[in-house]
Amino acid sequence: MANPSRQAVNFATPRGFATAFKADCKETFFPDDPFHEMKHEKPLNKLKKTIQYFIPLFEWLPNYNLRLFRYDLLAGITITSLAIPQGISYAKLASIPPIYGLYSSFIPPFVYSIFGSSKHLAVGTVAACSLLLSETVGAKASPQDDPTLYLHLIFTATFFTGIFQTALGFLRLGILVDFLSHSTITGFMGGTAIIICLQQLKGMFGLIHFTTHTDVVSVLGAVFRHRNEWRWESAVVGIIFLAFLQFTRYLRQKRPKLFWVSAIAPMVVVVVGCLFAFFAHAEKHGIQIVGELKKGLNPPSIQYLNFDPQYLPVTVRAGLITGLIAMAEGIAIGRSFAIMKSEQTDGNKEMIAFGFMNIIGSFTSCYLTTGPFSKTAVNFNAGCRTAMSNVVMGFCMMLTLLFLAPLFRYTPLVALSAIIMSAMLGLINYDEMIHLFKVDKFDFVICMAAFLGVSFVSMDVGLMLSVGLALLRALLYVARPAACKLGKIPNSSLYRDTEQYPGSTPIQGVLVLQLGSPIYFANSTYIRERVLRYIKEEQGVSDSKTDIIEHLLLDLSGVSSIDMTGIETFLELRRILDSKGIKLSIVNPRIEVLEKMTLAKFTDAIGKESFYLSIEDAVQNCRFSLHSSKTTMEEA
Amino acid sequence: MANPSRQAVNFATPRGFATAFKADCKETFFPDDPFHEMKHEKPLNKLKKTIQYFIPLFEWLPNYNLRLFRYDLLAGITITSLAIPQGISYAKLASIPPIYGLYSSFIPPFVYSIFGSSKHLAVGTVAACSLLLSETVGAKASPQDDPTLYLHLIFTATFFTGIFQTALGFLRLGILVDFLSHSTITGFMGGTAIIICLQQLKGMFGLIHFTTHTDVVSVLGAVFRHRNEWRWESAVVGIIFLAFLQFTRYLRQKRPKLFWVSAIAPMVVVVVGCLFAFFAHAEKHGIQIVGELKKGLNPPSIQYLNFDPQYLPVTVRAGLITGLIAMAEGIAIGRSFAIMKSEQTDGNKEMIAFGFMNIIGSFTSCYLTTGPFSKTAVNFNAGCRTAMSNVVMGFCMMLTLLFLAPLFRYTPLVALSAIIMSAMLGLINYDEMIHLFKVDKFDFVICMAAFLGVSFVSMDVGLMLSVGLALLRALLYVARPAACKLGKIPNSSLYRDTEQYPGSTPIQGVLVLQLGSPIYFANSTYIRERVLRYIKEEQGVSDSKTDIIEHLLLDLSGVSSIDMTGIETFLELRRILDSKGIKLSIVNPRIEVLEKMTLAKFTDAIGKESFYLSIEDAVQNCRFSLHSSKTTMEEA
């Protein structure tokens, strides 16, 4: 009966469990196949390449030369001029003494230059994580009432961040970062920018009393409740600084070559602010200044790590959340700049580098560092060639700490506020949000969940809400896989979705359905219902007895895997179809699916002759059997 | 340049958001399309059909006749003989007075017969949920120290179960049940059976002191710690009963026609036990009996529902978890029996029926009921035709409560233990576990997580662990979609996985990759890496300059949807490919994918001429351009 010309389906014996498991693990954890190139090397070369793989420094340092160094030197100096004001500002955001912001730009860059795989990433502290740390840890220990305990808990949280990041890197769980979607990050960044800007109203208006909450309502409430503390002098100075900074940003957009103006603008603001405060005795006019900054390098802080069970939950939690966000930001930014130069970064290596940076940082009075967007962009534009620019920045910071730090004591807080506000205003990506709204409403909802959650509730609630929605969507994707009815496109052997290609014609007596996505417990009930509905609809349309469906072809080309529940659903489906007198055939099952079907004896149950390699083959065969059954009936 | 014979891709204008959203919602919540048939009816008929849809009673009652009733009467009496001993036994498992087990078989069957859509389901209490209720609620209120409070909390939990089930049904969230996979249920049932059997050792050995924990270690520990309480008389009687019950089960397996022997066996055990206890004064020989059972119907219990905030978390939690499990069991069982008769049940209707059953039950001194496996199987085998058998059972229970209840006071506890043990031993599905191990190791792990978790930790931990693993697997499925390289099968226009079909040959200069599953944030990084790795491998193999890849064809037939991150990944990929001099083409994008690509202007970015309807078309075109570029080079 079988059509002799048909192509054979390959019923190979299923691979052993060990082989399949090894292949799956490799695909899951080593999709980039890092050791592929080393396979055919000699042992000594292999060792060398492995060391180079784990410590990227050894990869680029041997080829390093003076020409490259000229570029890196310039970039390093440029980012230092950004690192000083940002370090001081963000330390204020994290509610720790400003000097720790400078410390955090000294040790970590050296660590990163050894282990980091990105050429353009500039290491530093980030605003969002600084505020998040202060919000989370501040709930347990007040930075005002017990600053020492608070500082020690910040170091401890940084330590946990480091451990977490290193562990994820070694376990090759870069996959976790994949679950922070683009929409989540856009919304989170936007929301964070809003609340950080609002926080700066404290510095702008020279307020003394403020709230520890970060949401829009509390912050605006606090600002207006303390109207009596508003100082116009402070506000005027702040607005001038902010206008200057925004102007330099505008200039950069208009003339990309003038990027260095906006790069050094924050430093200019700090220096001008210091001079102004020093000569005008600003303190007496209600303009607060940073206050004493001690000369000297980072003191060790390893002895301050606090593992008291009372504080452990909060430090671990703060460490994990900020670690994840910092990592996502750092990896995403490193990647996007690498792409511009058609280069690649390795997410897992980056995680290990960030992890070491934070572990060592937590031992040496640094708090959470990663690769911030603004600094990295400046580094890239300043023409950095390798991670050496971070080394240059580290040296510059060392000199600053040793000699210049005390000079910054006159920095007006309002200057720092202006710097933070200006940086944050650039992070609200309106265009992207509008784009999301236009293209994908669900992505927009995910984005808004993060944006509004962060703005009106708190940073971690916003983040979790958004990630939760994104996961829900992922689960819905798998729970409701698209199925469609195929028809034949005239004058070809192609079968395509009848909805998408209205010209395609159905085949008499044969229903062809295409299933997409893996089939397993979460969607097998749905698939059964959906297939039965197609049959019901089909038979509803054609009332005449001749047009009745006799064959159901399931095209499984798009089904990448199946589990036991899925196979049992197919068996169930076959029983139901049998009772309706419909024959089930399977078209083009993929290797993983066919293996499972063979193991579960499904192939034997429906018969190997019911498996086809192409829809055309299957349809030919069905026609043949339709025809012969009709002839038999007529003869009888 | 374009090949004139190629088939056109349909670049229709994307559907409006409202249309697409409506279609998506319909697919998600109404995959069975219940109102499809009513569309073309007259208003009055429509109303009638809608009522019939929501209250299935009206669907079968008008056609009901005496012939059908004969079958249902017999089945109803048979299940009553099972309902009495099971009711008493499971009430003991739930640590509430045995009379409530009888109450629970009186009201709920009537409710189910009105709203339920299954013809074979027999309503009753279930062992697993009874124990789970006692474990969860017992942690907050001791059934020994404060039995009244405990009982009221059980009613309250049942009330929440009902509300939860009804809500899920109305919201059409039957999808939740889909997340309890077959493997999870197999493992959970097995583990529950083990711990329930072990619990029965208390009754078997006539122990007075016992543990409130349910895990294997605690229970065995308690049994051996109280060696001094062991009574051999009790054990001997118990073993005789158990042997008898197991024998009748064995008989049923050998001769399916004798199913009624095993169906009435528990009743026989109870009656014999009562007579034995009455005449032999068993109490004096260490064989405990049930004790007083009051005559009379269910008293109202609506006034006992306890919404005290102190107990709310535990009652809500107990209600949700037991509700979900009971629902999963009931729906799965109703479905499997319906399939045997080629009929269908509606999960959402079943949920509403269960919900009403439990809400009304909680008002009338019943605790959690659903459709237990054993009773339903007996009902089915006894030849029930409609839900009328439940009505018969309800009437029989009413008569029992009104007249016979006091007679059961002499039932020995050891008889109940034997009944429970015998029922539970049948629930451990060794064959299925071995089958899972053979076919799908991950499914086996999910199953074992439930089995061991329930046995050694606690029922809810086991369940959550297993569901968690299953969800993790679902997420891994979407995070690591299978991609494969296609080659041309000789003498055909088919392109298939080169791994699966080693005979297929690659096309010179063209790399064809097939992607499966939706593309979105959780897997887009992976997909980019994987595609780039394929290119690297390809170019590593062929060192000669002529064999270099010039075209990359992505077959998206199996990609059912895409999000913003996914589209951005494609744009990124295209930039990288451009820098390598490789041209990207898309083959057969599905309607949802093409819509998003059009909206995001991706189609404009890579050009509509880079979209093909079939791989063959695309390959022809690539060959053409390869050829012409070569000719141009040669000419130049």
Side-chain angles (χ1 to χ4, degrees):
Chain A
M1 290 278 281
N3 186 332
S5 76
R6 67 186 270 200
Q7 301 280 343
V9 173
N10 181 7
F11 288 98
T13 351
R15 294 168 297 173
F17 171 65
T19 321
F21 185 72
K22 207 178 133 196
D24 283 352
C25 280
K26 203 182 143 200
E27 275 308 311
T28 308
F29 300 112
F30 295 87
D32 53 341
D33 197 10
F35 301 107
H36 179 73
E37 288 170 19
M38 301 175 201
K39 222 175 261 172
H40 309 292
E41 300 277 352
K42 280 181 210 144
L44 208 71
N45 258 341
K46 218 174 199 169
L47 181 75
K48 192 180 141 200
K49 286 219 166 177
T50 311
I51 291 178
Q52 284 185 345
Y53 176 74
F54 284 109
I55 307 177
L57 176 75
F58 292 121
E59 207 172 324
W60 56 267
L61 201 60
N63 305 317
Y64 201 70
N65 56 36
L66 210 64
R67 197 181 55 78
L68 290 173
F69 182 68
R70 278 215 325 260
Y71 288 107
D72 286 335
L73 181 69
L74 193 71
I77 293 173
T78 317
I79 54 176
T80 309
S81 78
L82 196 63
I84 297 171
Q86 276 195 353
I88 299 176
S89 315
Y90 295 164
K92 286 299 278 184
L93 260 186
S95 317
I96 55 177
I99 189 77
Y100 291 97
L102 298 183
Y103 289 159
S104 301
S105 294
F106 166 46
I107 301 280
F110 288 109
V111 180
Y112 184 81
S113 63
I114 298 173
F115 297 104
S117 71
S118 163
K119 293 179 181 166
H120 311 109
L121 197 93
V123 169
T125 53
V126 278
C129 292
S130 301
L131 185 62
L132 188 50
L133 265 179
S134 122
E135 191 189 297
T136 320
V137 177
K140 194 80 192 176
S142 160
Q144 282 80 41
D145 302 343
D146 195 347
T148 319
L149 173 67
Y150 175 79
L151 184 64
H152 294 177
L153 292 183
I154 293 282
F155 290 148
T156 317
T158 305
F159 175 73
F160 283 122
T161 298
I163 294 289
F164 173 60
Q165 291 175 334
T166 313
L168 286 188
F170 275 114
L171 294 173
R172 303 199 57 92
L173 287 173
I175 192 173
L176 266 191
V177 173
D178 293 353
F179 282 101
L180 288 180
S181 76
H182 187 77
S183 320
T184 299
I185 291 177
T186 307
F188 181 78
M189 287 289 165
T192 313
I194 295 276
I195 61 173
I196 292 177
C197 277
L198 288 177
Q199 290 269 318
Q200 302 319 312
L201 292 179
K202 181 189 178 207
M204 281 290 198
F205 286 118
L207 298 181
I208 300 156
H209 296 94
F210 207 60
T211 172
T212 54
H213 292 281
T214 58
D215 61 296
V216 170
V217 177
S218 311
V219 171
L220 283 183
V223 169
F224 285 99
R225 214 166 33 250
H226 300 295
R227 274 187 305 275
N228 54 329
E229 294 178 6
W230 289 10
R231 302 298 299 253
W232 66 266
E233 301 93 334
S234 176
V236 167
V237 174
I239 288 167
I240 293 172
F241 282 147
L242 185 60
F244 168 69
L245 288 166
Q246 287 300 93
F247 172 73
T248 62
R249 282 184 162 267
Y250 171 79
L251 207 64
R252 187 186 60 190
Q253 273 171 7
K254 287 283 150 191
R255 305 231 180 142
K257 283 219 164 176
L258 294 179
F259 79 91
W260 58 269
V261 177
S262 78
I264 62 160
M267 195 66 200
V268 171
V269 165
V270 167
V271 171
V272 170
C274 282
L275 294 175
F276 170 76
F278 182 73
F279 289 110
H281 301 288
E283 287 163 278
K284 294 178 188 155
H285 302 284
I287 296 176
Q288 301 167 42
I289 58 169
V290 163
E292 202 195 359
L293 289 173
K294 265 189 300 196
K295 224 186 253 190
L297 295 181
N298 302 14
S301 64
I302 186 166
Q303 71 277 28
Y304 298 141
L305 296 185
N306 185 332
F307 300 111
D308 187 337
Q310 189 189 348
Y311 303 113
L312 217 51
V314 72
T315 46
V316 169
R317 188 156 151 266
L320 295 196
I321 300 183
T322 54
L324 190 62
I325 298 173
M327 211 159 68
E329 185 177 351
I331 293 175
I333 286 164
R335 199 162 71 196
S336 40
F337 284 104
I339 285 167
M340 287 191 205
K341 293 262 179 192
S342 298
E343 284 160 358
Q344 297 224 20
T345 56
D346 180 332
N348 291 307
K349 269 192 226 173
E350 288 292 286
M351 278 193 270
I352 295 176
F354 290 156
F356 283 167
M357 207 158 90
N358 284 317
I359 293 176
I360 297 173
S362 71
F363 295 165
T364 53
S365 295
C366 304
Y367 80 107
L368 184 77
T369 45
T370 181
F373 177 76
S374 52
K375 231 174 181 177
T376 306
V378 167
N379 197 23
F380 180 82
N381 284 320
C384 71
R385 288 294 187 273
T386 64
M388 187 59 90
S389 62
N390 278 309
V391 176
V392 173
M393 173 173 75
F395 272 110
C396 293
M397 288 309 295
M398 188 178 77
L399 297 177
T400 309
L401 283 169
L402 285 177
F403 307 111
L404 304 175
L407 298 182
F408 293 112
R409 65 166 296 179
Y410 288 103
T411 317
L413 292 188
V414 66
L416 299 180
S417 292
I419 292 170
I420 296 179
M421 275 182 111
S422 167
M424 290 302 119
L425 288 175
L427 284 186
I428 310 177
N429 199 341
Y430 308 101
D431 296 341
E432 181 64 27
M433 291 183 194
I434 294 168
H435 189 208
L436 283 177
F437 180 77
K438 277 194 196 144
V439 178
D440 194 326
K441 302 291 186 286
F442 206 122
D443 262 328
F444 179 71
V445 170
I446 291 171
C447 173
M448 280 297 115
F451 184 77
L452 299 176
V454 168
S455 309
F456 288 98
V457 190
S458 76
M459 294 172 78
D460 41 0
V461 167
L463 187 71
M464 284 174 196
L465 196 67
S466 176
V467 170
L469 274 177
L471 286 183
L472 184 71
R473 183 192 203 188
L475 288 175
L476 275 183
Y477 267 140
V478 291
R480 292 288 179 261
C484 61
K485 195 175 93 181
L486 303 185
K488 184 172 177 143
I489 293 195
N491 306 323
S492 77
S493 61
L494 301 180
Y495 290 79
R496 291 291 179 264
D497 187 359
T498 48
E499 241 180 272
Q500 193 176 4
Y501 296 95
S504 57
T505 52
I507 301 99
Q508 209 192 20
V510 182
L511 177 64
V512 188
L513 297 181
Q514 186 180 48
L515 303 180
S517 108
I519 295 178
Y520 61 118
F521 71 94
N523 60 23
S524 53
T525 314
Y526 167 78
I527 286 179
R528 203 198 49 211
E529 299 283 327
R530 194 69 191 85
V531 168
L532 292 178
R533 176 149 65 101
Y534 270 120
I535 293 176
K536 210 165 67 182
E537 283 173 3
E538 235 12 58
Q539 295 188 325
V541 170
S542 58
D543 281 335
S544 62
K545 281 282 169 193
T546 53
D547 268 6
I548 215 143
I549 300 293
E550 288 190 25
H551 288 273
L552 174 67
L553 304 183
L554 290 182
D555 178 8
L556 301 190
S557 314
V559 177
S560 45
S561 49
I562 195 167
D563 76 348
M564 274 308 298
T565 316
I567 289 180
E568 249 147 57
T569 302
F570 274 134
L571 281 169
E572 223 174 278
L573 195 58
R574 186 177 151 257
R575 269 200 298 274
I576 301 174
L577 291 177
D578 267 355
S579 73
K580 291 176 191 276
I582 299 174
K583 197 168 171 323
L584 174 70
S585 301
I586 304 286
V587 177
N588 190 24
R590 286 166 69 150
I591 190 161
E592 294 86 355
V593 176
L594 199 55
E595 272 177 10
K596 288 262 170 68
M597 285 181 163
T598 310
L599 281 173
K601 312 236 180 282
F602 178 75
T603 38
D604 299 337
I606 80 163
K608 283 190 180 176
E609 69 283 357
S610 302
F611 283 79
Y612 297 89
L613 190 61
S614 73
I615 302 178
E616 182 69 11
D617 268 1
V619 168
Q620 293 296 347
N621 230 43
C622 292
R623 275 212 182 123
F624 188 66
S625 72
L626 275 174
H627 210 74
S628 57
S629 71
K630 243 184 213 163
T631 325
T632 327
M633 269 164 59
E634 276 163 19
E635 277 171 1
Chain B
M1 289 279 280
N3 186 334
S5 77
R6 67 185 270 202
Q7 302 280 344
V9 173
N10 181 6
F11 288 98
T13 349
R15 294 168 297 172
F17 170 66
T19 322
F21 185 71
K22 209 178 132 195
D24 283 351
C25 279
K26 204 182 140 202
E27 276 307 313
T28 307
F29 299 112
F30 295 87
D32 53 342
D33 197 10
F35 302 107
H36 179 73
E37 289 170 18
M38 302 176 199
K39 223 175 260 172
H40 310 292
E41 300 278 350
K42 281 180 207 142
L44 206 70
N45 259 340
K46 219 175 198 168
L47 181 74
K48 194 182 139 202
K49 286 220 166 178
T50 310
I51 291 178
Q52 284 186 344
Y53 176 74
F54 284 110
I55 307 177
L57 176 75
F58 292 121
E59 208 172 321
W60 58 266
L61 200 60
N63 304 319
Y64 201 69
N65 57 36
L66 209 64
R67 195 181 55 77
L68 290 174
F69 182 67
R70 279 211 329 257
Y71 288 106
D72 287 336
L73 182 68
L74 194 71
I77 293 174
T78 317
I79 53 175
T80 309
S81 77
L82 195 63
I84 297 171
Q86 276 195 352
I88 300 177
S89 316
Y90 296 164
K92 286 300 277 184
L93 260 187
S95 317
I96 56 176
I99 190 76
Y100 290 97
L102 299 182
Y103 290 160
S104 301
S105 293
F106 167 45
I107 301 280
F110 288 109
V111 179
Y112 184 80
S113 63
I114 298 173
F115 297 104
S117 71
S118 163
K119 293 178 181 167
H120 310 110
L121 197 93
V123 169
T125 53
V126 278
C129 293
S130 301
L131 184 63
L132 189 51
L133 266 178
S134 125
E135 189 188 300
T136 320
V137 176
K140 194 79 192 177
S142 160
Q144 282 80 41
D145 302 344
D146 195 348
T148 318
L149 173 66
Y150 176 79
L151 184 63
H152 295 176
L153 293 183
I154 293 282
F155 290 148
T156 316
T158 306
F159 175 73
F160 283 122
T161 297
I163 295 287
F164 173 61
Q165 291 176 334
T166 314
L168 286 188
F170 275 114
L171 294 173
R172 305 200 56 92
L173 287 174
I175 191 173
L176 266 191
V177 173
D178 293 353
F179 281 102
L180 288 180
S181 75
H182 188 76
S183 320
T184 298
I185 291 179
T186 307
F188 181 77
M189 286 290 163
T192 313
I194 295 276
I195 61 172
I196 292 178
C197 278
L198 289 177
Q199 291 269 317
Q200 302 319 312
L201 293 179
K202 182 189 178 207
M204 281 289 196
F205 287 117
L207 298 180
I208 300 157
H209 295 95
F210 206 61
T211 171
T212 54
H213 292 281
T214 58
D215 60 297
V216 171
V217 177
S218 312
V219 171
L220 283 183
V223 169
F224 285 99
R225 212 166 35 248
H226 301 296
R227 273 188 305 276
N228 54 330
E229 293 178 7
W230 289 10
R231 303 297 297 252
W232 66 267
E233 301 92 334
S234 178
V236 167
V237 175
I239 288 168
I240 293 173
F241 283 146
L242 185 60
F244 169 69
L245 289 165
Q246 288 299 95
F247 172 72
T248 62
R249 283 185 161 266
Y250 171 77
L251 206 63
R252 187 185 61 190
Q253 274 172 7
K254 287 285 147 189
R255 306 231 180 143
K257 283 217 162 175
L258 294 179
F259 79 91
W260 58 268
V261 177
S262 78
I264 62 161
M267 196 65 200
V268 171
V269 166
V270 167
V271 171
V272 170
C274 281
L275 294 175
F276 170 76
F278 182 73
F279 289 111
H281 300 287
E283 287 164 278
K284 293 178 188 155
H285 302 284
I287 296 177
Q288 302 167 42
I289 59 170
V290 164
E292 204 195 359
L293 289 173
K294 263 188 301 190
K295 224 184 253 191
L297 296 181
N298 303 16
S301 64
I302 185 166
Q303 70 277 24
Y304 298 141
L305 296 185
N306 185 333
F307 300 111
D308 186 338
Q310 189 189 344
Y311 304 114
L312 219 51
V314 71
T315 47
V316 169
R317 189 157 150 263
L320 296 196
I321 300 183
T322 55
L324 191 63
I325 297 174
M327 211 159 68
E329 185 176 352
I331 293 175
I333 286 165
R335 200 163 70 196
S336 40
F337 283 104
I339 285 167
M340 288 191 203
K341 293 262 180 190
S342 299
E343 285 160 356
Q344 297 223 19
T345 56
D346 181 330
N348 291 306
K349 269 191 225 173
E350 289 291 287
M351 278 194 270
I352 295 176
F354 290 156
F356 282 167
M357 208 159 87
N358 284 316
I359 293 176
I360 297 174
S362 71
F363 295 166
T364 55
S365 297
C366 303
Y367 80 105
L368 184 77
T369 45
T370 181
F373 178 76
S374 52
K375 233 176 181 175
T376 306
V378 167
N379 198 23
F380 181 82
N381 284 320
C384 72
R385 287 294 187 273
T386 64
M388 186 59 89
S389 62
N390 278 308
V391 176
V392 173
M393 174 175 73
F395 272 111
C396 293
M397 288 309 296
M398 188 177 78
L399 297 178
T400 308
L401 284 170
L402 285 176
F403 307 111
L404 303 176
L407 297 183
F408 293 111
R409 63 166 299 178
Y410 290 102
T411 317
L413 292 189
V414 66
L416 300 180
S417 293
I419 292 170
I420 296 179
M421 275 182 110
S422 167
M424 289 302 118
L425 288 175
L427 284 185
I428 310 177
N429 199 342
Y430 307 101
D431 297 342
E432 182 64 28
M433 291 183 194
I434 294 167
H435 189 208
L436 284 177
F437 180 76
K438 276 193 196 145
V439 178
D440 194 325
K441 302 289 187 285
F442 206 121
D443 261 328
F444 179 72
V445 170
I446 290 171
C447 174
M448 281 297 116
F451 185 78
L452 299 177
V454 169
S455 309
F456 289 97
V457 190
S458 78
M459 294 174 77
D460 41 359
V461 168
L463 187 71
M464 284 174 197
L465 196 67
S466 175
V467 170
L469 273 177
L471 286 183
L472 184 72
R473 184 193 202 186
L475 289 174
L476 274 183
Y477 266 141
V478 293
R480 293 288 180 261
C484 60
K485 196 174 93 179
L486 303 184
K488 183 170 179 144
I489 292 196
N491 305 323
S492 77
S493 60
L494 301 179
Y495 290 79
R496 292 292 180 263
D497 187 358
T498 47
E499 240 179 272
Q500 193 176 5
Y501 296 95
S504 57
T505 50
I507 302 100
Q508 208 192 21
V510 182
L511 177 64
V512 188
L513 296 181
Q514 186 180 46
L515 302 180
S517 108
I519 295 179
Y520 61 118
F521 70 94
N523 60 24
S524 52
T525 315
Y526 167 78
I527 287 179
R528 204 198 49 213
E529 299 283 327
R530 194 69 191 82
V531 168
L532 292 178
R533 175 148 67 100
Y534 270 120
I535 293 176
K536 209 165 67 183
E537 282 172 2
E538 234 14 57
Q539 295 189 327
V541 170
S542 58
D543 279 335
S544 62
K545 281 282 169 196
T546 53
D547 267 5
I548 216 141
I549 300 292
E550 287 191 25
H551 288 272
L552 175 68
L553 303 182
L554 290 182
D555 177 7
L556 300 190
S557 313
V559 177
S560 45
S561 48
I562 195 168
D563 76 348
M564 275 310 297
T565 316
I567 290 181
E568 252 148 55
T569 302
F570 274 133
L571 281 169
E572 224 175 276
L573 195 58
R574 186 177 151 256
R575 268 201 299 272
I576 299 175
L577 291 177
D578 268 355
S579 73
K580 291 176 192 275
I582 299 174
K583 198 169 169 323
L584 174 71
S585 301
I586 304 286
V587 177
N588 190 25
R590 286 167 67 150
I591 189 162
E592 294 86 355
V593 176
L594 198 55
E595 274 177 11
K596 290 263 170 66
M597 284 182 164
T598 311
L599 281 173
K601 312 235 181 283
F602 177 73
T603 38
D604 299 337
I606 79 162
K608 284 190 180 177
E609 69 284 356
S610 302
F611 284 79
Y612 297 90
L613 190 59
S614 72
I615 301 178
E616 182 69 10
D617 269 1
V619 168
Q620 293 295 346
N621 228 43
C622 292
R623 276 215 182 122
F624 188 68
S625 74
L626 274 175
H627 209 75
S628 56
S629 71
K630 242 183 215 165
T631 325
T632 327
M633 269 163 60
E634 276 162 20
E635 276 171 1

